[in-house]
Amino acid sequence: MAASGTGRPQFISSNGGNRSFSNSPLIDNSDPNQIIVPEKKSWKNFFAYLGPGFLVSIAYIDPGNFETDLQSGARYKYELLWIILVASCAALVIQSLAANLGVVTGKHLAEHCRAEYSKVPNFMLWVLAEIAVVACDIPEVIGTAFALNMLFSIPVWIGVLLTGLSTLMLLALQQYGVRKLEFLIAFLVFTIAICFFIELHYSKPDPGEVLHGLFVPQLKGNGATGLAISLLGAMVMPHNLFLHSALVLSRKIPRSASGIKEACRFYLIESGLALMVAFLINVSVISVSGAVCNAPDLSPEDRANCEDLDLNKASFLLRNVVGKWSSKLFAIALLASGQSSTITGTYAGQYVMQGFLNLTLEPWLRNLLTRCLAIIPSLIVALIGGSAGAGKLIIIASMILSFELPFALVPLLKFTSCKTKMAAHVNSMAITVITWVIGGFMMGINIYYLVSSFIKLLIHSHMKLVAVVFCGILGFSGIAIYLASIAYLVFRKNREPTHLLASRNSQNEETLPRQDIVNMQLPNRVSTSDL
């Protein structure tokens, strides 16, 4: 290894040439720790692609989802289940685009942002992405703290402090290989599923009402729109787009057009399976909450808990209505969700920092920084507001994620439109139109809710007229900046498309997997023969 003139480490290849670490040094040799897809076409190749989708699906069943799912079922029974269905279908399309971007171009979303945008927009997008990672981490910290409280009667504020240490222990499993870590995450996902399917069996929701809620859209009652936005924000998270486009770079795929097309197809199937499990879990949580909180024989105390249901109250509610074992099952599922989510959140934060700033940190250090930013507000709220305040903080974090979604979604749509359509026809015009419609619909809902909520706040405030006018000017100015920023991303013309096939005859041939991506996941597993 030698130092380049730019201060970036370089690796000397077998033919004597230098390759920059930041310019995607690649693995060309066979290694038992690599995941290599055979050149020969076969359905068995699908198993080589299994893994990234399940890591990504964790974001759809994290404690933030459970919080909003529980409140949705408690307040509106099964009426908002259709939001989960719509969000899951949209998530499948969007996540497949993120996977395609990484497979076709050999770079993930954050790296494309650094290459496309000037310093100021790139820096602002990085700040927003980091805020999204922290906003995602807050529900995971609080959820894990609640789970520890349910299982071991540990105070919530102490549980908040313990979450960082527990995540560092799980991240130590990286040294045994990315495949084993993927199997661990998949095991945790199915653990969550089993726990809630058992809860679903004993709570006995009405199947007809559940199906009606799934396929008949409705928004009735005060606050239904706000909760629907929270459900949407908890389902489609901006940091997940950065994560998925990077995770697919850990596979060594064939460089032919058919190989890239096969990879995109198998990643779509794999994401569909993982998101289907996540969808069923979310439906189960809402159905359990709706059935329990709308039971005719519910006690006045339990009915009061249902009016302001959070993760902690849900445990006591299930224990009183379904049984003590039900509370423990819920706690186990919540603990598995929180811990697996923090692992994927740490990876997403590392890819964001590496992509936008060309800066990498050791996973434990990155986790410590992210965890501190999430622990501080969580700890303050837990000490002052208790479990109720911590539950409200989860809802606020979910809404922040929803408002930040356009700043990851628009670049993804733009990049996949211009950078992948030339390779293996993986991005047809029909898919482009559908994804833009989905993205526009989601962004339109966010903007509508933002404007309507702000107007309602001004109308019903008890401030003097001068203060209302001043707040209105500031608020609408902020909304105008928000809309202008989205418009800039939408209408800005991208640079010329680049992808792996475009450079297949060049001297600097690129293939997957990316060495820096593999190293980021497995910092202690690179042998000297690879360098």
Side-chain angles (χ1 to χ4, degrees):
M1 183 175 68
S4 67
T6 60
R8 299 172 182 171
Q10 292 189 342
F11 295 88
I12 301 175
S13 62
S14 58
N15 58 8
N18 288 339
R19 294 185 295 181
S20 170
F21 188 87
S22 63
N23 290 330
S24 314
L26 309 165
I27 298 177
D28 298 320
N29 64 311
S30 297
D31 188 290
N33 296 315
Q34 297 175 15
I35 303 173
I36 301 175
V37 181
E39 291 280 350
K40 184 179 179 181
K41 281 190 174 183
S42 172
W43 64 269
K44 296 180 181 179
N45 291 353
F46 173 68
F47 295 101
Y49 294 104
L50 278 175
F54 282 93
L55 266 71
V56 168
S57 70
I58 283 294
Y60 296 89
I61 49 175
D62 71 351
N65 290 90
F66 292 167
E67 177 84 20
T68 51
D69 288 349
L70 289 169
Q71 293 196 9
S72 171
R75 295 182 187 179
Y76 305 103
K77 205 171 182 181
Y78 316 121
E79 291 181 6
L80 297 182
L81 280 174
W82 66 275
I83 294 288
I84 300 297
L85 178 61
V86 171
S88 297
C89 294
L92 177 59
V93 175
I94 293 170
Q95 294 297 159
S96 65
L97 288 183
N100 288 353
L101 182 66
V103 169
V104 175
T105 66
K107 293 182 180 180
H108 56 81
L109 179 57
E111 291 176 320
H112 282 293
C113 290
R114 188 179 80 228
E116 285 286 340
Y117 301 114
S118 57
K119 289 185 178 180
V120 174
N122 182 72
F123 178 78
M124 296 303 298
L125 287 174
W126 170 69
V127 171
L128 291 171
E130 291 289 356
I131 293 174
V133 172
V134 174
C136 174
D137 211 39
I138 287 175
E140 296 158 4
V141 169
I142 296 175
T144 303
F146 280 156
L148 293 174
N149 176 260
M150 298 169 198
L151 291 172
F152 309 110
S153 300
I154 297 175
V156 174
W157 68 272
I158 295 179
V160 168
L161 295 175
L162 291 176
T163 52
L165 295 176
S166 59
T167 306
L168 286 174
M169 293 173 61
L170 286 177
L171 282 172
L173 295 173
Q174 293 176 117
Q175 61 181 317
Y176 297 106
V178 66
R179 201 60 164 166
K180 293 181 177 61
L181 183 62
E182 289 174 348
F183 279 125
L184 171 65
I185 296 296
F187 171 76
L188 293 175
V189 169
F190 284 107
T191 299
I192 298 168
I194 291 171
C195 289
F196 279 110
F197 290 164
I198 295 174
E199 302 266 14
L200 186 67
H201 173 72
Y202 283 96
S203 60
K204 294 181 172 60
D206 187 286
E209 293 185 18
V210 171
L211 290 175
H212 184 270
L214 272 174
F215 297 105
V216 180
Q218 51 189 325
L219 286 174
K220 300 178 182 178
N222 184 30
T225 304
L227 194 53
I229 294 293
S230 297
L231 282 171
L232 187 63
M235 286 292 290
V236 185
M237 296 188 180
H239 79 283
N240 235 21
L241 307 182
F242 297 103
L243 177 64
H244 204 175
S245 63
L247 288 174
V248 297
L249 302 180
S250 62
R251 267 62 174 172
K252 183 179 176 66
I253 67 171
R255 289 196 50 203
S256 62
S258 60
I260 290 178
K261 189 173 182 179
E262 180 187 67
C264 293
R265 182 174 67 254
F266 280 147
Y267 275 129
L268 174 63
I269 297 172
E270 190 247 358
S271 299
L273 291 175
L275 292 178
M276 174 62 73
V277 176
F279 166 75
L280 293 176
I281 292 174
N282 282 291
V283 170
S284 299
V285 177
I286 294 179
S287 300
V288 168
S289 175
V292 169
C293 287
N294 291 276
D297 56 345
L298 201 64
S299 67
E301 181 183 357
D302 291 333
R303 195 170 299 279
N305 286 331
C306 285
E307 293 178 0
D308 189 22
L309 192 63
D310 59 25
L311 293 174
N312 206 29
K313 289 182 181 179
S315 171
F316 297 106
L317 181 67
L318 291 171
R319 182 180 63 189
N320 294 340
V321 179
V322 184
K324 185 177 180 180
W325 58 267
S326 181
S327 174
K328 298 299 181 183
L329 275 178
F330 177 77
I332 293 171
L334 188 59
L335 183 63
S337 170
Q339 287 302 285
S340 55
S341 298
T342 51
I343 294 175
T344 57
T346 300
Y347 279 152
Q350 182 74 320
Y351 297 139
V352 163
M353 181 173 288
Q354 175 264 335
F356 280 106
L357 304 182
N358 196 24
L359 176 66
T360 58
L361 296 176
E362 290 292 335
W364 69 268
L365 181 57
R366 170 70 208 188
N367 180 70
L368 182 62
L369 292 175
T370 306
R371 198 57 13 115
C372 288
L373 292 174
I375 282 176
I376 292 173
S378 303
L379 183 61
I380 294 174
V381 171
L383 288 172
I384 297 176
S387 61
K392 292 179 180 178
L393 184 60
I394 291 179
I395 297 294
I396 293 173
S398 298
M399 298 185 72
I400 291 174
L401 289 168
S402 183
F403 293 136
E404 288 199 1
L405 181 62
F407 298 103
L409 182 57
V410 172
L412 175 66
L413 295 175
K414 294 288 291 291
F415 296 151
T416 51
S417 296
C418 73
K419 294 179 182 296
T420 66
K421 62 185 178 182
M422 297 175 60
H425 306 290
V426 296
N427 192 36
S428 66
M429 181 61 68
I431 295 178
T432 301
V433 172
I434 291 173
T435 51
W436 274 104
V437 169
I438 292 173
F441 172 73
M442 297 173 67
M443 290 184 287
I445 290 178
N446 291 341
I447 294 169
Y448 165 77
Y449 182 71
L450 176 65
V451 175
S452 61
S453 298
F454 183 67
I455 293 175
K456 187 182 297 184
L457 178 64
L458 291 179
I459 292 175
H460 296 287
S461 66
H462 300 287
M463 298 183 295
K464 295 182 179 180
L465 181 60
V466 176
V468 171
V469 172
F470 180 75
C471 291
I473 293 173
L474 288 179
F476 283 110
S477 298
I479 293 174
I481 294 173
Y482 178 77
L483 296 177
S485 301
I486 296 175
Y488 167 79
L489 295 176
V490 171
F491 295 107
R492 178 189 179 277
K493 186 177 180 180
N494 282 344
R495 298 177 182 178
E496 291 297 320
T498 57
H499 49 80
L500 286 179
L501 293 182
S503 62
R504 64 183 303 176
N505 296 322
S506 63
Q507 293 181 351
N508 276 330
E509 290 191 355
E510 294 190 356
T511 183
L512 298 179
R514 286 266 304 278
Q515 179 73 63
D516 51 346
I517 296 298
V518 175
N519 281 352
M520 202 176 297
Q521 295 178 352
L522 308 171
N524 300 320
R525 301 290 286 184
V526 181
S527 63
T528 55
S529 61
D530 294 333
L531 305 181

